[in-house]
Amino acid sequence: MADANRWIAPELGLPELPFVDFGDVLLQERPDGVHWKTGPLVDYANGRPFAWVDDEQSELDQTYVTAHHRGSGLLHHVNPRVGLREDDFHPLADFARSLDTPRATG
């Protein structure tokens, strides 16, 4: 997963970004049908708000996040045949705006 910082980030002009190390669960199917990424993502978020954009999510993953994550979480499914499109950014922006809190002035 660290390869994205070496191969993709520079091409997009991004700095090195944090990533989730999936360790031993990488590509390991779970007997409960929850995606193998779900648990580690929830653990990494550790109660912080997070958005997960993927093409392999299901209702089982949403149920898991709801039950195990104490913060806000958005699971946004992207059609693997067309990839991330402009319309996918609307729910992400709405989610980000929902996290904004008014700042005290004075």
Side-chain angles (χ1 to χ4, degrees):
M1 300 298 159
D3 288 343
N5 278 320
R6 184 175 38 187
W7 298 106
I8 298 171
E11 293 297 319
L12 298 175
L14 296 173
E16 186 169 316
L17 299 170
F19 62 92
V20 177
D21 181 357
F22 293 104
D24 293 342
V25 302
L26 184 68
L27 302 174
Q28 299 297 315
E29 287 190 36
R30 292 173 48 134
D32 60 3
V34 171
H35 196 282
W36 57 268
K37 293 178 186 174
T38 309
L41 289 171
V42 167
D43 292 345
Y44 183 83
N46 193 27
R48 297 179 305 245
F50 77 98
W52 174 23
V53 179
D54 206 315
D55 66 346
E56 297 181 338
Q57 302 157 338
S58 73
E59 281 298 314
L60 293 171
D61 300 300
Q62 183 62 64
T63 300
Y64 182 95
V65 170
T66 300
H68 295 92
H69 183 63
R70 62 187 181 279
S72 298
L74 172 68
L75 277 62
H76 181 74
H77 184 268
V78 173
N79 184 330
R81 290 195 168 101
V82 297
L84 194 60
R85 309 291 282 212
E86 184 176 344
D87 286 346
D88 292 304
F89 289 94
H90 298 296
L92 295 169
D94 291 344
F95 177 72
R97 277 191 295 275
S98 78
L99 301 175
D100 285 342
T101 55
R103 297 174 193 222
T105 59

